[in-house]
Amino acid sequence: MKTHRCHVPGASGPRVVLPAVEAHHVRHVLRMAAGDAIGVFDGAGREWHARIHRLDRHVVEVDLLDAVTPVAEPSLAVTLAIGYLKGDQMSTVVRDATALGVARIVLLATSHVAVPAAARQGSVVDRLTRIAASSSAQCGRAVVPEIDGVTPLDALLDDARWPGTRVVCVEPALAGAAEGLVPWPGGGDRVTLFVGPEGGWSTDELARFRAAGAFALSLGPRTLRAELAPTVALARLGDVPRG
């Protein structure tokens, strides 16, 4: 039987208290008891075998036992910069991108999407971070990607704090407007992958990518759903020779 894994940020031995969300799941959903075995990971790459020490209506305490060698992170560190999507689409993107190993996710404000005021609140990032943590727990990953709130595209392209290669996904309908963007040849160890919203990139945004020295990544001849495009793009990155 698969051991349930709990995300405990900042975990260190010999005993930790589960966060409220994890404690509720262990207590009321899984109906576990003192002495049951679980796994604990801190979201920063460390993981342990653990055992429930105390479980009551107020607290769940867990003893950290042996350290576990976590599943290795991808050799290519990818920041996914995704045009803001409505409804549950963003949750789907975060869940799948986490399972595929992205290091960071940035929510982009772009020309063809009106970002609702509520999306700019910290509660949205908190909710998406919980989704990412749940995805890491499910897929066996010991890292939870950092999630940045809504950021204008220009701010991201102009910010020198974002090292590595910039790669932009270009949909078939914009192939002509994307002339001048060289296909990504692979290589390097850091990539910021830009995936547009439902309305795609504007011609001005494509010009900004060219000026910033971004490379192009084709997702094939078909137009993909906005929430599917990041998954396909991440798979395509893995298919390009690393040099």
Side-chain angles (χ1 to χ4, degrees), residues 3-75:
T3 301
H4 178 68
R5 301 172 73 239
C6 293
H7 176 222
V8 184
S12 61
R15 184 171 294 163
V16 298
V17 175
L18 295 189
V21 172
E22 295 283 9
H24 179 274
H25 191 73
V26 164
R27 187 188 299 113
H28 297 292
V29 179
L30 300 178
R31 297 187 178 277
M32 301 181 78
D36 286 348
I38 64 170
V40 168
F41 67 102
D42 66 355
R46 297 191 301 168
E47 185 171 356
W48 298 264
H49 293 302
R51 193 171 302 280
I52 296 176
H53 171 74
R54 179 165 71 99
L55 184 153
D56 58 34
R57 61 184 297 183
H58 301 294
V59 68
V60 178
E61 291 183 335
V62 172
D63 290 331
L64 302 184
L65 305 176
D66 302 326
V68 176
T69 301
V71 175
E73 289 293 295
S75 58

Short mmCIF file of all heavy atoms in Angstrom, two decimals, residues 3-75:
data_model
loop_
_atom_site.label_atom_id
_atom_site.label_comp_id
_atom_site.label_asym_id
_atom_site.label_seq_id
_atom_site.Cartn_x
_atom_site.Cartn_y
_atom_site.Cartn_z
N THR A 3 2.38 4.74 0.82
CA THR A 3 2.42 5.56 2.03
C THR A 3 1.96 6.98 1.72
O THR A 3 2.43 7.59 0.76
CB THR A 3 3.84 5.59 2.62
OG1 THR A 3 4.25 4.25 2.93
CG2 THR A 3 3.88 6.42 3.89
N HIS A 4 1.07 7.50 2.54
CA HIS A 4 0.62 8.88 2.36
C HIS A 4 1.77 9.83 2.67
O HIS A 4 2.49 9.66 3.66
CB HIS A 4 -0.57 9.17 3.28
CG HIS A 4 -1.05 10.58 3.19
ND1 HIS A 4 -1.66 11.08 2.06
CD2 HIS A 4 -0.99 11.61 4.08
CE1 HIS A 4 -1.96 12.36 2.25
NE2 HIS A 4 -1.56 12.70 3.47
N ARG A 5 1.94 10.86 1.84
CA ARG A 5 3.01 11.85 2.02
C ARG A 5 2.41 13.19 2.40
O ARG A 5 1.44 13.64 1.80
CB ARG A 5 3.84 11.99 0.74
CG ARG A 5 4.47 10.70 0.28
CD ARG A 5 5.12 10.83 -1.09
NE ARG A 5 6.35 11.61 -1.04
CZ ARG A 5 6.56 12.72 -1.72
NH1 ARG A 5 5.59 13.22 -2.48
NH2 ARG A 5 7.71 13.36 -1.64
N CYS A 6 3.02 13.85 3.40
CA CYS A 6 2.55 15.14 3.89
C CYS A 6 3.60 16.21 3.63
O CYS A 6 4.79 16.00 3.86
CB CYS A 6 2.27 15.08 5.40
SG CYS A 6 0.89 14.02 5.85
N HIS A 7 3.13 17.38 3.19
CA HIS A 7 4.02 18.52 2.97
C HIS A 7 4.09 19.33 4.26
O HIS A 7 3.08 19.85 4.74
CB HIS A 7 3.49 19.38 1.84
CG HIS A 7 4.27 20.62 1.60
ND1 HIS A 7 3.69 21.86 1.36
CD2 HIS A 7 5.62 20.84 1.60
CE1 HIS A 7 4.63 22.76 1.19
NE2 HIS A 7 5.80 22.18 1.34
N VAL A 8 5.31 19.43 4.82
CA VAL A 8 5.53 20.19 6.05
C VAL A 8 6.67 21.17 5.79
O VAL A 8 7.85 20.82 5.93
CB VAL A 8 5.87 19.27 7.24
CG1 VAL A 8 6.01 20.09 8.53
CG2 VAL A 8 4.82 18.19 7.41
N PRO A 9 6.37 22.42 5.38
CA PRO A 9 7.43 23.39 5.11
C PRO A 9 8.32 23.59 6.32
O PRO A 9 7.85 23.71 7.45
CB PRO A 9 6.65 24.67 4.77
CG PRO A 9 5.30 24.19 4.31
CD PRO A 9 5.02 22.97 5.14
N GLY A 10 9.64 23.61 6.08
CA GLY A 10 10.60 23.84 7.15
C GLY A 10 10.77 22.67 8.10
O GLY A 10 11.32 22.84 9.19
N ALA A 11 10.34 21.49 7.72
CA ALA A 11 10.41 20.32 8.60
C ALA A 11 11.85 20.03 9.01
O ALA A 11 12.78 20.11 8.21
CB ALA A 11 9.82 19.10 7.91
N SER A 12 12.04 19.73 10.29
CA SER A 12 13.33 19.28 10.80
C SER A 12 13.06 18.45 12.05
O SER A 12 12.11 18.70 12.78
CB SER A 12 14.25 20.46 11.12
OG SER A 12 13.69 21.30 12.10
N GLY A 13 13.91 17.46 12.28
CA GLY A 13 13.65 16.48 13.33
C GLY A 13 13.87 17.01 14.73
O GLY A 13 14.33 18.12 14.93
N PRO A 14 13.51 16.13 15.70
CA PRO A 14 13.00 14.77 15.47
C PRO A 14 11.48 14.68 15.36
O PRO A 14 10.94 13.64 15.02
CB PRO A 14 13.47 14.03 16.73
CG PRO A 14 13.45 15.08 17.79
CD PRO A 14 13.87 16.37 17.12
N ARG A 15 10.76 15.78 15.68
CA ARG A 15 9.30 15.72 15.69
C ARG A 15 8.73 17.00 15.08
O ARG A 15 9.23 18.09 15.33
CB ARG A 15 8.77 15.53 17.10
CG ARG A 15 7.26 15.35 17.23
CD ARG A 15 6.90 14.95 18.65
NE ARG A 15 7.44 13.62 18.95
CZ ARG A 15 7.57 13.14 20.19
NH1 ARG A 15 7.21 13.88 21.22
NH2 ARG A 15 8.07 11.93 20.37
N VAL A 16 7.67 16.86 14.28
CA VAL A 16 7.04 18.02 13.65
C VAL A 16 5.54 17.95 13.87
O VAL A 16 4.97 16.89 14.13
CB VAL A 16 7.34 18.08 12.13
CG1 VAL A 16 8.83 18.25 11.87
CG2 VAL A 16 6.79 16.86 11.41
N VAL A 17 4.91 19.12 13.77
CA VAL A 17 3.45 19.22 13.82
C VAL A 17 2.94 19.44 12.40
O VAL A 17 3.43 20.31 11.69
CB VAL A 17 3.02 20.39 14.73
CG1 VAL A 17 1.50 20.57 14.69
CG2 VAL A 17 3.49 20.16 16.16
N LEU A 18 1.98 18.65 11.99
CA LEU A 18 1.44 18.79 10.64
C LEU A 18 0.66 20.10 10.51
O LEU A 18 -0.07 20.49 11.43
CB LEU A 18 0.52 17.62 10.29
CG LEU A 18 1.12 16.22 10.20
CD1 LEU A 18 0.09 15.25 9.64
CD2 LEU A 18 2.39 16.21 9.35
N PRO A 19 0.80 20.79 9.37
CA PRO A 19 -0.05 21.96 9.11
C PRO A 19 -1.52 21.58 9.16
O PRO A 19 -1.88 20.41 8.97
CB PRO A 19 0.38 22.40 7.70
CG PRO A 19 1.74 21.81 7.50
CD PRO A 19 1.74 20.52 8.27
N ALA A 20 -2.37 22.57 9.37
CA ALA A 20 -3.80 22.31 9.59
C ALA A 20 -4.44 21.52 8.45
O ALA A 20 -5.22 20.58 8.69
CB ALA A 20 -4.53 23.63 9.80
N VAL A 21 -4.11 21.88 7.20
CA VAL A 21 -4.73 21.19 6.06
C VAL A 21 -4.31 19.72 6.03
O VAL A 21 -5.14 18.82 5.82
CB VAL A 21 -4.35 21.89 4.74
CG1 VAL A 21 -4.81 21.07 3.54
CG2 VAL A 21 -4.95 23.29 4.69
N GLU A 22 -3.02 19.47 6.25
CA GLU A 22 -2.53 18.09 6.26
C GLU A 22 -3.12 17.31 7.44
O GLU A 22 -3.50 16.14 7.31
CB GLU A 22 -1.00 18.07 6.33
CG GLU A 22 -0.29 18.66 5.12
CD GLU A 22 -0.28 17.70 3.94
OE1 GLU A 22 -0.96 16.65 3.98
OE2 GLU A 22 0.40 18.01 2.95
N ALA A 23 -3.20 17.96 8.60
CA ALA A 23 -3.74 17.29 9.79
C ALA A 23 -5.20 16.91 9.57
O ALA A 23 -5.63 15.80 9.95
CB ALA A 23 -3.60 18.21 11.00
N HIS A 24 -5.97 17.80 8.96
CA HIS A 24 -7.38 17.50 8.69
C HIS A 24 -7.50 16.29 7.77
O HIS A 24 -8.35 15.41 7.98
CB HIS A 24 -8.05 18.72 8.06
CG HIS A 24 -9.49 18.50 7.72
ND1 HIS A 24 -9.90 17.95 6.52
CD2 HIS A 24 -10.63 18.74 8.43
CE1 HIS A 24 -11.21 17.87 6.50
NE2 HIS A 24 -11.68 18.34 7.64
N HIS A 25 -6.65 16.23 6.75
CA HIS A 25 -6.72 15.12 5.79
C HIS A 25 -6.36 13.80 6.48
O HIS A 25 -7.04 12.78 6.28
CB HIS A 25 -5.76 15.39 4.63
CG HIS A 25 -5.94 14.45 3.48
ND1 HIS A 25 -7.01 14.50 2.63
CD2 HIS A 25 -5.18 13.41 3.05
CE1 HIS A 25 -6.91 13.54 1.72
NE2 HIS A 25 -5.81 12.87 1.96
N VAL A 26 -5.30 13.82 7.29
CA VAL A 26 -4.88 12.61 8.00
C VAL A 26 -5.95 12.16 8.99
O VAL A 26 -6.27 10.97 9.10
CB VAL A 26 -3.54 12.88 8.73
CG1 VAL A 26 -3.27 11.81 9.78
CG2 VAL A 26 -2.40 12.92 7.72
N ARG A 27 -6.55 13.12 9.68
CA ARG A 27 -7.50 12.79 10.75
C ARG A 27 -8.88 12.39 10.22
O ARG A 27 -9.44 11.37 10.63
CB ARG A 27 -7.62 14.00 11.68
CG ARG A 27 -8.45 13.75 12.93
CD ARG A 27 -8.70 15.04 13.70
NE ARG A 27 -7.49 15.68 14.15
CZ ARG A 27 -7.03 16.86 13.68
NH1 ARG A 27 -7.71 17.50 12.74
NH2 ARG A 27 -5.93 17.38 14.16
N HIS A 28 -9.41 13.19 9.29
CA HIS A 28 -10.81 13.03 8.90
C HIS A 28 -11.03 12.30 7.58
O HIS A 28 -12.10 11.72 7.37
CB HIS A 28 -11.50 14.39 8.84
CG HIS A 28 -11.54 15.10 10.16
ND1 HIS A 28 -12.29 14.65 11.22
CD2 HIS A 28 -10.89 16.22 10.60
CE1 HIS A 28 -12.13 15.47 12.26
NE2 HIS A 28 -11.28 16.42 11.90
N VAL A 29 -10.06 12.37 6.67
CA VAL A 29 -10.23 11.71 5.38
C VAL A 29 -9.61 10.32 5.40
O VAL A 29 -10.26 9.32 5.07
CB VAL A 29 -9.61 12.57 4.24
CG1 VAL A 29 -9.77 11.85 2.90
CG2 VAL A 29 -10.27 13.94 4.20
N LEU A 30 -8.34 10.25 5.80
CA LEU A 30 -7.65 8.96 5.84
C LEU A 30 -7.94 8.17 7.11
O LEU A 30 -7.71 6.97 7.17
CB LEU A 30 -6.14 9.17 5.70
CG LEU A 30 -5.69 9.85 4.40
CD1 LEU A 30 -4.18 10.05 4.41
CD2 LEU A 30 -6.10 9.03 3.18
N ARG A 31 -8.40 8.88 8.16
CA ARG A 31 -8.73 8.27 9.45
C ARG A 31 -7.55 7.44 9.99
O ARG A 31 -7.71 6.29 10.41
CB ARG A 31 -9.99 7.42 9.34
CG ARG A 31 -11.23 8.23 8.98
CD ARG A 31 -12.50 7.41 9.04
NE ARG A 31 -13.67 8.23 8.74
CZ ARG A 31 -14.30 9.01 9.62
NH1 ARG A 31 -13.85 9.08 10.86
NH2 ARG A 31 -15.35 9.73 9.25
N MET A 32 -6.38 8.06 9.96
CA MET A 32 -5.19 7.40 10.47
C MET A 32 -5.14 7.50 11.99
O MET A 32 -5.93 8.22 12.61
CB MET A 32 -3.94 8.02 9.83
CG MET A 32 -3.93 7.92 8.31
SD MET A 32 -2.46 8.62 7.54
CE MET A 32 -1.28 7.30 7.84
N ALA A 33 -4.20 6.77 12.59
CA ALA A 33 -4.11 6.72 14.05
C ALA A 33 -2.65 6.80 14.47
O ALA A 33 -1.73 6.64 13.64
CB ALA A 33 -4.74 5.43 14.57
N ALA A 34 -2.42 7.06 15.75
CA ALA A 34 -1.07 7.06 16.29
C ALA A 34 -0.39 5.73 15.98
O ALA A 34 -0.99 4.67 16.11
CB ALA A 34 -1.10 7.32 17.79
N GLY A 35 0.87 5.82 15.54
CA GLY A 35 1.62 4.63 15.18
C GLY A 35 1.62 4.34 13.70
O GLY A 35 2.45 3.54 13.22
N ASP A 36 0.72 4.98 12.94
CA ASP A 36 0.68 4.74 11.50
C ASP A 36 1.87 5.40 10.81
O ASP A 36 2.33 6.47 11.20
CB ASP A 36 -0.61 5.30 10.89
CG ASP A 36 -1.82 4.44 11.22
OD1 ASP A 36 -1.63 3.31 11.72
OD2 ASP A 36 -2.95 4.90 10.98
N ALA A 37 2.35 4.74 9.76
CA ALA A 37 3.49 5.25 8.99
C ALA A 37 3.02 6.23 7.93
O ALA A 37 1.99 6.01 7.28
CB ALA A 37 4.24 4.10 8.34
N ILE A 38 3.75 7.33 7.77
CA ILE A 38 3.49 8.29 6.71
C ILE A 38 4.84 8.76 6.17
O ILE A 38 5.90 8.41 6.70
CB ILE A 38 2.66 9.51 7.18
CG1 ILE A 38 3.44 10.31 8.23
CG2 ILE A 38 1.32 9.08 7.72
CD1 ILE A 38 2.77 11.64 8.55
N GLY A 39 4.80 9.57 5.12
CA GLY A 39 5.99 10.22 4.62
C GLY A 39 5.87 11.72 4.82
O GLY A 39 4.77 12.26 4.84
N VAL A 40 7.00 12.39 5.01
CA VAL A 40 7.03 13.84 5.18
C VAL A 40 8.06 14.41 4.22
O VAL A 40 9.18 13.89 4.11
CB VAL A 40 7.38 14.23 6.63
CG1 VAL A 40 7.70 15.73 6.73
CG2 VAL A 40 6.24 13.88 7.58
N PHE A 41 7.69 15.49 3.51
CA PHE A 41 8.67 16.22 2.69
C PHE A 41 8.50 17.71 2.95
O PHE A 41 7.41 18.17 3.29
CB PHE A 41 8.52 15.88 1.20
CG PHE A 41 7.25 16.36 0.56
CD1 PHE A 41 7.24 17.50 -0.24
CD2 PHE A 41 6.05 15.68 0.74
CE1 PHE A 41 6.06 17.95 -0.84
CE2 PHE A 41 4.87 16.11 0.14
CZ PHE A 41 4.88 17.24 -0.65
N ASP A 42 9.61 18.45 2.82
CA ASP A 42 9.57 19.87 3.21
C ASP A 42 9.31 20.82 2.05
O ASP A 42 9.23 22.03 2.24
CB ASP A 42 10.85 20.26 3.94
CG ASP A 42 12.10 20.21 3.05
OD1 ASP A 42 11.99 19.78 1.88
OD2 ASP A 42 13.18 20.60 3.54
N GLY A 43 9.21 20.31 0.82
CA GLY A 43 8.97 21.15 -0.34
C GLY A 43 10.21 21.78 -0.91
O GLY A 43 10.17 22.44 -1.95
N ALA A 44 11.35 21.59 -0.22
CA ALA A 44 12.62 22.15 -0.69
C ALA A 44 13.62 21.06 -1.05
O ALA A 44 14.80 21.35 -1.26
CB ALA A 44 13.21 23.06 0.39
N GLY A 45 13.15 19.80 -1.10
CA GLY A 45 14.01 18.73 -1.57
C GLY A 45 14.39 17.70 -0.52
O GLY A 45 15.14 16.77 -0.82
N ARG A 46 13.87 17.83 0.71
CA ARG A 46 14.18 16.85 1.75
C ARG A 46 12.94 16.02 2.08
O ARG A 46 11.82 16.52 2.03
CB ARG A 46 14.70 17.53 3.02
CG ARG A 46 16.00 18.29 2.81
CD ARG A 46 16.60 18.72 4.15
NE ARG A 46 15.68 19.58 4.89
CZ ARG A 46 15.85 19.90 6.18
NH1 ARG A 46 16.88 19.40 6.86
NH2 ARG A 46 14.98 20.70 6.78
N GLU A 47 13.19 14.76 2.45
CA GLU A 47 12.08 13.84 2.66
C GLU A 47 12.46 12.81 3.73
O GLU A 47 13.63 12.46 3.87
CB GLU A 47 11.73 13.14 1.34
CG GLU A 47 10.52 12.25 1.39
CD GLU A 47 10.09 11.76 0.01
OE1 GLU A 47 10.70 12.20 -0.99
OE2 GLU A 47 9.14 10.96 -0.05
N TRP A 48 11.44 12.32 4.47
CA TRP A 48 11.67 11.36 5.54
C TRP A 48 10.58 10.31 5.58
O TRP A 48 9.42 10.58 5.25
CB TRP A 48 11.66 12.05 6.91
CG TRP A 48 12.69 13.09 7.14
CD1 TRP A 48 13.90 12.95 7.75
CD2 TRP A 48 12.60 14.48 6.80
NE1 TRP A 48 14.57 14.15 7.80
CE2 TRP A 48 13.79 15.10 7.22
CE3 TRP A 48 11.62 15.26 6.16
CZ2 TRP A 48 14.03 16.46 7.02
CZ3 TRP A 48 11.86 16.61 5.96
CH2 TRP A 48 13.05 17.19 6.39
N HIS A 49 10.97 9.09 6.05
CA HIS A 49 9.99 8.17 6.57
C HIS A 49 9.57 8.73 7.93
O HIS A 49 10.39 9.29 8.67
CB HIS A 49 10.59 6.77 6.76
CG HIS A 49 10.96 6.09 5.49
ND1 HIS A 49 10.05 5.85 4.49
CD2 HIS A 49 12.15 5.59 5.05
CE1 HIS A 49 10.65 5.23 3.49
NE2 HIS A 49 11.92 5.06 3.80
N ALA A 50 8.30 8.57 8.29
CA ALA A 50 7.83 9.14 9.54
C ALA A 50 6.73 8.27 10.13
O ALA A 50 6.20 7.37 9.48
CB ALA A 50 7.32 10.57 9.32
N ARG A 51 6.41 8.58 11.39
CA ARG A 51 5.35 7.84 12.08
C ARG A 51 4.55 8.81 12.95
O ARG A 51 5.12 9.71 13.58
CB ARG A 51 5.95 6.73 12.95
CG ARG A 51 4.93 5.71 13.46
CD ARG A 51 5.62 4.53 14.12
NE ARG A 51 6.54 3.86 13.22
CZ ARG A 51 6.18 2.98 12.29
NH1 ARG A 51 4.89 2.68 12.12
NH2 ARG A 51 7.09 2.40 11.54
N ILE A 52 3.23 8.63 12.96
CA ILE A 52 2.38 9.51 13.77
C ILE A 52 2.62 9.23 15.25
O ILE A 52 2.48 8.10 15.72
CB ILE A 52 0.90 9.31 13.42
CG1 ILE A 52 0.64 9.71 11.96
CG2 ILE A 52 0.01 10.13 14.35
CD1 ILE A 52 -0.78 9.44 11.50
N HIS A 53 3.02 10.27 15.98
CA HIS A 53 3.28 10.15 17.42
C HIS A 53 2.01 10.41 18.23
O HIS A 53 1.69 9.68 19.17
CB HIS A 53 4.37 11.15 17.83
CG HIS A 53 4.56 11.26 19.30
ND1 HIS A 53 5.19 10.28 20.05
CD2 HIS A 53 4.17 12.23 20.19
CE1 HIS A 53 5.21 10.64 21.32
NE2 HIS A 53 4.60 11.81 21.44
N ARG A 54 1.29 11.48 17.86
CA ARG A 54 0.07 11.84 18.59
C ARG A 54 -0.94 12.41 17.62
O ARG A 54 -0.59 13.22 16.75
CB ARG A 54 0.39 12.86 19.69
CG ARG A 54 -0.85 13.31 20.48
CD ARG A 54 -0.43 14.02 21.77
NE ARG A 54 0.15 15.32 21.53
CZ ARG A 54 -0.52 16.47 21.65
NH1 ARG A 54 -1.79 16.46 21.98
NH2 ARG A 54 0.10 17.62 21.44
N LEU A 55 -2.18 12.00 17.78
CA LEU A 55 -3.24 12.48 16.92
C LEU A 55 -4.48 12.70 17.77
O LEU A 55 -5.01 11.75 18.37
CB LEU A 55 -3.51 11.48 15.79
CG LEU A 55 -4.54 11.84 14.71
CD1 LEU A 55 -4.22 11.12 13.41
CD2 LEU A 55 -5.95 11.46 15.16
N ASP A 56 -4.92 13.95 17.87
CA ASP A 56 -6.17 14.23 18.57
C ASP A 56 -6.90 15.33 17.81
O ASP A 56 -6.51 15.70 16.71
CB ASP A 56 -5.92 14.59 20.04
CG ASP A 56 -5.01 15.79 20.22
OD1 ASP A 56 -5.07 16.72 19.38
OD2 ASP A 56 -4.25 15.83 21.21
N ARG A 57 -7.94 15.88 18.39
CA ARG A 57 -8.76 16.85 17.67
C ARG A 57 -8.05 18.18 17.46
O ARG A 57 -8.50 19.00 16.66
CB ARG A 57 -10.07 17.08 18.42
CG ARG A 57 -9.90 17.63 19.81
CD ARG A 57 -11.23 17.76 20.53
NE ARG A 57 -12.10 18.72 19.86
CZ ARG A 57 -13.31 19.06 20.31
NH1 ARG A 57 -13.77 18.49 21.42
NH2 ARG A 57 -14.03 19.94 19.66
N HIS A 58 -6.94 18.40 18.17
CA HIS A 58 -6.26 19.69 18.09
C HIS A 58 -4.96 19.64 17.29
O HIS A 58 -4.58 20.65 16.68
CB HIS A 58 -5.96 20.21 19.50
CG HIS A 58 -7.17 20.38 20.34
ND1 HIS A 58 -8.15 21.31 20.06
CD2 HIS A 58 -7.58 19.72 21.47
CE1 HIS A 58 -9.11 21.23 20.97
NE2 HIS A 58 -8.79 20.28 21.84
N VAL A 59 -4.27 18.53 17.31
CA VAL A 59 -2.92 18.49 16.73
C VAL A 59 -2.58 17.09 16.25
O VAL A 59 -3.09 16.09 16.78
CB VAL A 59 -1.87 18.97 17.77
CG1 VAL A 59 -1.74 17.96 18.91
CG2 VAL A 59 -0.52 19.22 17.12
N VAL A 60 -1.72 17.04 15.21
CA VAL A 60 -1.13 15.78 14.77
C VAL A 60 0.38 15.95 14.81
O VAL A 60 0.93 16.78 14.08
CB VAL A 60 -1.59 15.39 13.35
CG1 VAL A 60 -0.90 14.09 12.92
CG2 VAL A 60 -3.10 15.24 13.28
N GLU A 61 1.04 15.20 15.69
CA GLU A 61 2.49 15.25 15.81
C GLU A 61 3.08 14.01 15.14
O GLU A 61 2.54 12.90 15.28
CB GLU A 61 2.92 15.29 17.27
CG GLU A 61 2.59 16.59 17.98
CD GLU A 61 3.11 16.60 19.40
OE1 GLU A 61 3.28 15.51 19.99
OE2 GLU A 61 3.35 17.70 19.93
N VAL A 62 4.19 14.22 14.45
CA VAL A 62 4.81 13.15 13.67
C VAL A 62 6.29 13.07 14.00
O VAL A 62 6.98 14.10 14.07
CB VAL A 62 4.62 13.43 12.16
CG1 VAL A 62 5.42 12.45 11.32
CG2 VAL A 62 3.15 13.37 11.78
N ASP A 63 6.78 11.86 14.23
CA ASP A 63 8.21 11.64 14.44
C ASP A 63 8.89 11.38 13.10
O ASP A 63 8.45 10.50 12.33
CB ASP A 63 8.44 10.43 15.35
CG ASP A 63 8.02 10.70 16.79
OD1 ASP A 63 8.08 11.87 17.21
OD2 ASP A 63 7.63 9.74 17.49
N LEU A 64 9.94 12.15 12.81
CA LEU A 64 10.72 11.93 11.60
C LEU A 64 11.73 10.82 11.87
O LEU A 64 12.48 10.88 12.84
CB LEU A 64 11.45 13.21 11.19
CG LEU A 64 10.56 14.43 10.92
CD1 LEU A 64 11.41 15.60 10.43
CD2 LEU A 64 9.47 14.11 9.90
N LEU A 65 11.75 9.81 11.02
CA LEU A 65 12.63 8.66 11.21
C LEU A 65 13.81 8.75 10.25
O LEU A 65 14.63 9.64 10.36
CB LEU A 65 11.82 7.37 11.03
CG LEU A 65 10.57 7.26 11.92
CD1 LEU A 65 9.78 6.01 11.59
CD2 LEU A 65 10.94 7.31 13.39
N ASP A 66 13.88 7.88 9.28
CA ASP A 66 15.01 7.87 8.35
C ASP A 66 14.81 8.88 7.24
O ASP A 66 13.71 9.02 6.69
CB ASP A 66 15.16 6.48 7.73
CG ASP A 66 15.37 5.39 8.77
OD1 ASP A 66 16.02 5.69 9.79
OD2 ASP A 66 14.88 4.27 8.56
N ALA A 67 15.91 9.57 6.89
CA ALA A 67 15.88 10.44 5.72
C ALA A 67 15.79 9.59 4.46
O ALA A 67 16.35 8.49 4.39
CB ALA A 67 17.12 11.32 5.67
N VAL A 68 15.06 10.09 3.48
CA VAL A 68 14.85 9.39 2.21
C VAL A 68 15.55 10.17 1.10
O VAL A 68 15.51 11.40 1.07
CB VAL A 68 13.34 9.28 1.90
CG1 VAL A 68 13.12 8.62 0.54
CG2 VAL A 68 12.63 8.51 2.99
N THR A 69 16.20 9.44 0.20
CA THR A 69 16.77 10.10 -0.97
C THR A 69 15.63 10.38 -1.94
O THR A 69 15.00 9.45 -2.46
CB THR A 69 17.81 9.21 -1.66
OG1 THR A 69 18.86 8.92 -0.74
CG2 THR A 69 18.39 9.91 -2.89
N PRO A 70 15.32 11.66 -2.17
CA PRO A 70 14.16 11.98 -3.02
C PRO A 70 14.43 11.69 -4.49
O PRO A 70 15.57 11.54 -4.92
CB PRO A 70 13.96 13.48 -2.78
CG PRO A 70 15.33 13.98 -2.45
CD PRO A 70 16.01 12.87 -1.69
N VAL A 71 13.34 11.63 -5.25
CA VAL A 71 13.47 11.51 -6.70
C VAL A 71 14.21 12.73 -7.22
O VAL A 71 13.92 13.87 -6.83
CB VAL A 71 12.07 11.40 -7.35
CG1 VAL A 71 12.18 11.40 -8.87
CG2 VAL A 71 11.35 10.16 -6.85
N ALA A 72 15.18 12.52 -8.09
CA ALA A 72 16.01 13.62 -8.59
C ALA A 72 15.17 14.62 -9.38
O ALA A 72 14.24 14.25 -10.12
CB ALA A 72 17.13 13.08 -9.47
N GLU A 73 15.50 15.90 -9.22
CA GLU A 73 14.85 16.95 -9.99
C GLU A 73 15.40 16.96 -11.42
O GLU A 73 16.52 16.50 -11.67
CB GLU A 73 15.11 18.31 -9.34
CG GLU A 73 14.36 18.52 -8.04
CD GLU A 73 12.85 18.61 -8.26
OE1 GLU A 73 12.40 19.56 -8.92
OE2 GLU A 73 12.14 17.70 -7.79
N PRO A 74 14.64 17.48 -12.39
CA PRO A 74 15.14 17.54 -13.77
C PRO A 74 16.43 18.35 -13.87
O PRO A 74 16.63 19.31 -13.12
CB PRO A 74 13.99 18.24 -14.52
CG PRO A 74 12.78 17.98 -13.69
CD PRO A 74 13.26 17.98 -12.27
N SER A 75 17.30 17.96 -14.79
CA SER A 75 18.56 18.69 -14.97
C SER A 75 18.33 20.06 -15.60
O SER A 75 19.16 20.96 -15.46
CB SER A 75 19.52 17.87 -15.84
OG SER A 75 18.93 17.58 -17.10
#
